[in-house]
RNA sequence: GGCCCCAUCGUCUAGCGGUCCAGGACGUCGCCCUUUCACGGCGAAAACACGGGUUCGAUUCCCGUUGGGGUCACCA
């Protein structure tokens, strides 16, 4: 285990591998990562596979993959909580020895009865185990038992949370929760405290849903007389409707943000950073800048809603900033094109990426370059190909065929000439030309399209549309 | 329901007693640019939940109401 250096910051991200790395977890990871990097400390990764039945290899891979994609590298190897069960059990025993915990032999039936009684009297259920205060040496049944924390009944517990502020709870609210299950495995509550301590974690930055757990965990920490970490409970992310983030919203794995929504990691990362944290009026914040600026003081206290529109807008920004060859590589699989075609794609990228917000849109906009002749025109573009338009295309074809230089500037001059010569505005020729060349009504600038497509392909596509198809 | 937390434009947020008839961004709506669509530029509408205090003065501090969220397992 990492040695606990007293002065430097150690954070951790501790996902449970029961699904994918969801967006809330990704933000928690990002905050932990940024905080550690900002302070020149360490960022550790611990897989909380305490619940063996629900933990899967696939889920673990998905988490690691998501972290890599977002550029969140952790220091050292990843930890697996299940490897430390012996240590957890040992701490549980020591807690019993210290009189801070006890073996509870209550059966499920006895527990259920207590619960039912509480429900009948309409009072909150809080376990009252007869085993809590039995004298040492009391004979114990030869039966399964759990180890419960002897939670304090009096006084109050205070957590000075770096995000939520000072939070106080009456100790009477705390119950004797289970530390060690009857099968000898630790519960999350015990494991998290022991591991955080052993890993030297100084700052626990996690979702707000753990705030209530912090009080219980603190009870264990105090019983062991361990140093208390600094807590920072970050508000949760909600769906657009304010309700808990569901599958329908954005509770997708980060892999879906990449593969299905076609987003760039830098965009997702920037968006997540600004969700719940702010730095004045700054919106576009690069990674290095984020490391320099990030702090816990400016993390908001209220939950925020997920806004896909803003994420998309941000993605559009990063798309325009991205390297052309990289983008070509990213969408080539979606287009199913050859390496040779990828070269053309990269050359077209400056024009293409200006009008896309996602990789999906980017691929859609690029598709016409690689379509087979004769092009299938969509409805709107087909409507443009009137007899008059076809005649203009024929005129353009003649002029273009005689062109010496096939570059955007020469092409523009030639096309403008044809339009003028025919007594029509440029648009009257440009739109049918677009239809013939791309099969669509929207595309990059038509002169760029001609230049990119090349003389042969361009002339062939125009020729295809010069006469109305039979049938 | 008990306990805990939260509350500025539709959304993300700036604001840490006067500089705020509240600033930025996304979204929306105009206009410009223009061969289309984008990009870009300019502009508009749009918020301090409500009620009490404290104060010379509250978006900022305190209390309550309302609304929202979290949590109450041998899950994590």
């Amino acid at each position: 285990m990492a040695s606990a250096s007293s002065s430097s910051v150690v954070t951790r991200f501790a996902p449970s591998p029961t699904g994918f790395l969801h967006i809330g977890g990704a933000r928690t990871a990002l905050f932990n990562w940024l905080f550690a990097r900002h302070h020149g400390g360490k960022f550790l990764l611990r897989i909380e596979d305490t619940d063996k039945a629900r933990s899967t290899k696939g889920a673990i891979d998905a988490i690691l993959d998501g972290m890599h994609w977002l550029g969140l590298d952790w220091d050292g190897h990843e930890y697996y909580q299940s490897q430390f069960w012996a240590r957890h059990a040992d701490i549980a025993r020591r807690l019993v020895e210290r009189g801070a915990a006890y073996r509870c032999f209550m059966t499920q039936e006895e527990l259920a009865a207590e619960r039912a009684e509480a429900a009948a009297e309409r009072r909150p259920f809080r376990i009252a185990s007869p085993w809590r205060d039995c004298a040492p040496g009391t004979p114990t049944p030869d039966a399964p038992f759990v180890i419960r924390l002897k939670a304090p009944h009096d006084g109050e517990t205070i957590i000075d949370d770096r995000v939520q502020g000072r939070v106080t709870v009456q100790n009477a609210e705390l119950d004797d929760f289970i530390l060690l299950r009857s099968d000898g495995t630790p519960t999350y509550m015990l494991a998290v405290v022991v591991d955080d301590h052993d890993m030297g974690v100084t700052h626990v930055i996690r979702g707000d849903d753990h705030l209530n757990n912090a009080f219980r965990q603190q009870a264990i920490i105090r019983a062991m007389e361990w140093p208390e970490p600094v807590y920072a409970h970050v508000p949760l992310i909600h769906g657009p409707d304010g309700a808990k983030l569901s599958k329908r919203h954005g509770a997708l794995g980060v892999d879906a943000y990449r593969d299905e929504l076609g987003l760039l990691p830098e965009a997702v990362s920037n968006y997540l950073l600004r969700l719940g944290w702010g730095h004045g009026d700054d919106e576009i914040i690069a990674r290095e800048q984020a490391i320099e600026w990030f702090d816990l003081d400016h993390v908001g206290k209220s939950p925020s809603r997920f806004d896909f529109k803003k994420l998309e807008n941000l993605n559009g920004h990063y798309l325009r900033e991205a390297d052309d060859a990289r983008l070509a590589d990213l969408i080539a699989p979606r287009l199913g094109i050859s390496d040779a075609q990828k070269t053309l794609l990269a050359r077209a990228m400056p024009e293409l990426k200006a009008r896309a917000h996602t990789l999906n849109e980017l691929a859609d906009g690029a598709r016409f370059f690689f379509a087979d002749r004769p092009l299938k025109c969509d409805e709107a573009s087909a409507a443009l190909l009137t007899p008059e338009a076809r005649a203009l295309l024929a005129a353009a074809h003649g002029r273009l065929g005689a062109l010496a230089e096939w570059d955007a500037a020469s092409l523009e001059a030639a096309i403008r000439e044809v339009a003028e010569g025919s007594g029509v505005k440029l648009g009257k020729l440009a739109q049918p030309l677009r239809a013939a060349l791309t099969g669509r009504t929207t595309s990059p600038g038509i002169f760029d399209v001609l230049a990119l497509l090349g003389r042969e392909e361009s002339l062939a596509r125009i020729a295809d549309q010069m006469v109305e198809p039979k049938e």
Side-chain angles (χ1 to χ4, degrees):
Chain A
M1 291 240 160
S3 62
S5 157
S6 57
S7 58
S8 73
V9 165
V10 178
T11 66
R12 47 68 162 181
F13 176 52
S16 55
T18 53
F20 35 56
L21 174 59
H22 62 86
I23 208 68
R27 189 185 58 166
T28 300
L30 175 66
F31 282 14
N32 273 286
W33 186 91
L34 285 172
F35 188 76
R37 296 289 172 258
H38 175 86
H39 289 283
K42 282 186 173 154
F43 170 66
L44 308 177
L45 177 64
R46 181 177 71 232
I47 306 295
E48 309 240 310
D49 54 347
T50 306
D51 185 2
K52 252 175 77 187
R54 295 204 308 170
S55 303
T56 68
K57 175 78 166 63
I60 292 171
D61 289 343
I63 288 166
L64 301 187
D65 183 50
M67 301 274 292
H68 283 306
W69 183 63
L70 287 170
L72 304 178
D73 56 322
W74 52 95
D75 294 300
H77 60 82
E78 57 270 23
Y79 296 81
Y80 290 89
Q81 191 156 66
S82 59
Q83 292 178 333
F84 308 120
W85 280 0
R87 166 78 173 154
H88 301 146
D90 182 51
I91 295 299
R93 273 190 293 275
R94 280 167 59 183
L95 252 5
V96 173
E97 284 162 16
R98 284 169 175 243
Y102 61 95
R103 296 189 170 82
C104 175
F105 293 86
M106 282 180 82
T107 63
Q108 293 291 346
E109 292 70 38
E110 289 171 322
L111 255 176
E114 265 198 19
R115 253 197 202 94
E117 194 181 321
E121 293 171 26
R122 298 188 60 233
R123 63 176 161 80
F125 170 71
R126 200 143 295 132
I127 187 164
S129 171
W131 302 95
R132 175 183 164 111
D133 294 309
C134 68
T138 305
T140 55
D142 182 23
F145 62 87
V146 299
I147 292 183
R148 289 183 184 277
L149 185 82
K150 199 176 285 184
H153 283 337
D154 306 315
E156 55 187 27
T157 300
I158 295 168
I159 301 247
D160 273 310
D161 194 277
R162 283 292 300 276
V163 171
Q164 302 296 339
R166 170 166 292 215
V167 185
T168 308
V169 75
Q170 296 304 311
N171 286 338
E173 298 294 334
L174 271 28
D175 59 344
D176 289 359
F177 58 91
I178 294 175
L179 299 171
L180 208 64
R181 302 188 185 104
S182 54
D183 65 358
T185 62
T187 59
Y188 159 79
M189 213 65 79
L190 203 222
V192 79
V193 168
V194 175
D195 292 345
D196 281 346
H197 169 264
D198 289 354
M199 289 161 70
V201 172
T202 59
H203 296 255
V204 174
I205 304 169
R206 71 218 318 189
D208 200 18
D209 50 339
H210 284 292
L211 182 55
N212 289 291
N213 291 334
F215 296 99
R216 296 186 169 77
Q217 289 161 197
Q218 205 178 48
I220 302 175
I221 292 169
R222 287 186 177 162
M224 288 306 295
E225 295 177 82
W226 283 342
E228 291 171 26
V230 173
Y231 289 105
H233 288 94
V234 182
L236 303 178
I237 298 173
H238 290 162
D241 57 1
K244 196 170 178 176
L245 208 53
S246 71
K247 262 238 175 69
R248 192 164 47 81
H249 305 130
L252 310 162
V254 293
D255 59 308
Y257 283 79
R258 175 187 59 200
D259 304 329
E260 286 165 38
L261 302 182
L263 300 170
L264 259 19
E266 56 268 44
V268 172
S269 181
N270 193 151
Y271 178 73
L272 252 22
L273 174 65
R274 284 285 292 101
L275 201 56
W277 178 86
H279 185 273
D281 288 340
D282 298 300
E283 298 285 346
I284 304 295
I285 304 171
R287 187 53 69 91
E288 283 307 310
Q289 188 65 84
I291 292 173
E292 188 185 325
W293 282 345
F294 186 77
D295 61 4
L296 259 16
D297 300 326
H298 290 82
V299 175
K301 300 174 81 170
S302 54
S304 39
R305 302 185 185 199
F306 202 88
D307 183 356
F308 281 101
K309 276 292 198 316
K310 187 152 186 171
L311 210 204
E312 259 191 17
N313 175 276
L314 212 43
N315 201 64
H317 169 85
Y318 281 104
L319 226 41
R320 272 168 257 128
E321 233 177 36
D323 177 73
D324 295 330
R326 173 190 170 207
L327 293 178
D329 281 336
L330 283 172
I331 65 168
R334 295 162 190 260
L335 263 15
I337 59 173
S338 67
D339 282 354
Q341 290 175 307
K342 212 149 75 176
T343 308
L344 166 61
L345 182 56
R347 277 201 298 131
M349 202 50 81
E351 284 295 318
L352 292 173
K353 69 186 183 184
R355 52 210 94 213
H357 299 100
T358 66
L359 294 177
N360 299 358
E361 289 180 8
L362 193 60
D364 278 345
R367 198 153 276 127
F368 76 88
F369 275 114
F370 313 104
D372 292 326
R373 289 184 37 233
L375 255 50
K376 288 195 294 284
C377 292
D378 65 23
E379 207 174 314
S381 65
L384 250 27
L385 294 170
T386 59
E388 300 74 49
R390 292 184 195 281
L392 283 170
L393 285 182
H397 187 274
R399 180 70 183 81
L400 257 26
L403 212 54
E405 297 292 326
W406 196 268
D407 57 74
S410 313
L411 288 160
E412 172 161 5
I415 294 299
R416 284 187 187 280
E417 245 174 60
V418 174
E420 234 168 274
S422 307
V424 298
K425 290 189 137 185
L426 181 57
K428 280 287 180 196
L429 172 54
Q431 277 305 83
L433 203 48
R434 189 183 315 282
L437 258 17
T438 72
R440 312 180 60 154
T441 52
T442 70
S443 80
I446 203 64
F447 310 119
D448 292 305
V449 170
L450 280 165
L452 256 3
L453 234 27
R455 179 192 297 267
E456 195 184 338
E457 181 70 16
S458 296
L459 290 176
R461 289 188 184 192
I462 295 169
D464 286 341
Q465 304 297 343
M466 277 159 42
V467 291
E468 189 148 7
K470 300 294 170 237
E471 55 174 354

